Amino acid sequence: MLKVLIVDDEALVRRGIVLGVDWAAMGCVVVGEAANGEEGLAAVERYSPNLIITDVRMPKMDGIEMMNRLREKGCRAHVIVLTAYSDFSYARSALQFGADDYLLKPFRDQELTAAIDKVRRKEREQTSLTPQETLPLVKGDKSKYVLQALEYIAGHYADQDISITTIASHLGVSEGHLSHVFKKETSYTIISYLTQYRIHTAMKLLQDCRYKVYEVAELVGYRDVAYFGSTFKRLAGVSPSEYQDRCR
C-alpha cells in the first residue's frame, strides 16, 4: 500500500485531493498533509511516504526547493507536481529533481488518478527488481494492523454500528494499541478516516442522480440525515444537495 503525502498551501485543494480519489481502491492511504515545503520536509521525515503530491508555488519554501532538499537527503519517494503556472521552466525544474508527473491546475480527478496509477506501475516494477527494499512497509504488527483496519473500514463503512471497538475486536487487538498505531502511521484517527471514507463514497453516490440525499446517508452508514449533511458540508465545502446539483 502506497503512503501518500499531500503538500499544498490551499486547504481546499488539499481537501479536494483527499476526497476526490478513491485511495483504498488504488491501494493507497493518505498519511499526512502539509501547507508548505518546510512542513512537507518534516512530514516526509515523520511518515516516510512513497508518494508526494505537491504544489509548486507555496510560502516559506516552494515545491521545487522541497524536492531538491529531499533528493539531497536521499529520499526516493515518487512525486507528482501540481501548479497553476504553465511556464515550462517549472516543469523542467520538477523533472530535474525526479518528478514522476506534472499536472496543471485546475486538473480533473481522472488526471490525478491516472498519474497515481502510473506511479503505482513504477512502484510494482521497482518491487519486482528490489523486493527487499519494500518489505519493511508491510512487515511487523503495526503495519499489519493498520492495513487490516483499512480493509475492514472499506468493507464495513456502511455499518451504522461500526466503531473502533468493533474494528479492534475483529482484529483481535486492544483499542488503545490500534488507535496508537493507526494515528502514527496515517496521521488520522480511525473515526476521522472512517468519516473521510464515508463522505468520499457519498460523493460518488450523489453523482448518480437516482439516489436521494437521505438514501445516500443510509448507504454510507448515517442514521441522522441532518448530521450527515453537516459532516458532508464540513468536508466537501457544500451541502449534499448542492453537490448533487453541480453534478447534474
Side-chain angles (χ1 to χ4, degrees):
M1 179 167 285
L2 288 181
K3 295 193 241 178
V4 183
L5 172 68
I6 300 169
V7 187
D8 197 296
D9 60 320
E10 297 182 63
L12 287 177
V13 172
R14 296 198 305 272
R15 289 295 84 198
I17 294 173
V18 170
L19 294 172
V21 176
D22 191 343
W23 298 103
M26 296 198 72
C28 301
V29 59
V30 177
V31 295
E33 299 176 29
N36 56 61
E38 287 185 358
E39 292 183 10
L41 290 176
V44 169
E45 187 171 343
R46 180 178 181 184
Y47 300 118
S48 299
N50 312 96
L51 170 60
I52 302 167
I53 300 174
T54 182
D55 192 13
V56 170
R57 290 289 186 98
M58 295 180 291
K60 296 186 179 179
M61 182 186 294
D62 64 29
I64 302 299
E65 178 63 20
M66 180 188 72
M67 290 178 63
N68 185 18
R69 300 272 189 95
L70 289 172
R71 296 317 186 204
E72 288 178 347
K73 292 181 177 181
C75 176
R76 299 169 60 189
H78 298 280
V79 179
I80 297 173
V81 171
L82 314 173
T83 181
Y85 301 89
S86 57
D87 187 339
F88 184 72
S89 63
Y90 290 102
R92 187 167 51 201
S93 297
L95 295 172
Q96 178 183 350
F97 295 116
D100 293 79
D101 214 333
Y102 181 84
L103 302 180
L104 290 176
K105 295 180 178 179
F107 53 85
R108 294 175 297 172
D109 291 342
Q110 298 94 316
E111 293 178 286
L112 179 57
T113 299
I116 295 168
D117 191 54
K118 184 167 73 172
V119 167
R120 293 185 68 231
R121 289 197 301 271
K122 285 186 178 181
E123 187 75 7
R124 285 195 294 270
E125 291 171 2
Q126 292 175 1
T127 299
S128 65
L129 293 173
T130 55
Q132 71 279 3
E133 294 182 1
T134 61
L135 287 175
L137 295 177
V138 294
K139 279 180 62 178
D141 289 341
K142 290 182 179 180
S143 291
K144 178 183 73 173
Y145 287 137
V146 169
L147 292 173
Q148 289 178 345
L150 292 170
E151 291 173 1
Y152 187 88
I153 289 171
H156 297 82
Y157 66 89
D159 297 350
Q160 295 184 346
D161 62 348
I162 187 174
S163 65
I164 186 171
T165 301
T166 58
I167 297 172
S169 176
H170 176 78
L171 300 185
V173 63
S174 71
E175 293 179 31
H177 182 64
L178 180 59
S179 295
H180 174 72
V181 297
F182 196 93
K183 175 71 173 178
K184 180 179 179 181
E185 294 188 20
T186 71
S187 82
Y188 292 99
T189 66
I190 283 182
I191 297 305
S192 65
Y193 179 82
L194 170 63
T195 300
Q196 297 272 4
Y197 195 96
R198 281 173 159 173
I199 297 304
H200 174 77
T201 303
M203 292 173 76
K204 292 193 293 184
L205 292 171
L206 287 168
Q207 292 173 19
D208 185 341
C209 296
R210 292 174 298 177
Y211 290 112
K212 306 290 188 183
V213 170
Y214 75 87
E215 292 174 326
V216 171
E218 293 176 0
L219 287 170
V220 297
Y222 286 92
R223 293 188 181 93
D224 188 332
V225 178
Y227 179 66
F228 164 71
S230 62
T231 303
F232 188 99
K233 187 168 185 177
R234 174 170 57 84
L235 293 177
V238 294
S239 70
S241 58
E242 289 172 329
Y243 180 82
Q244 192 169 54
D245 286 342
R246 293 181 180 183
C247 295
R248 292 182 188 276

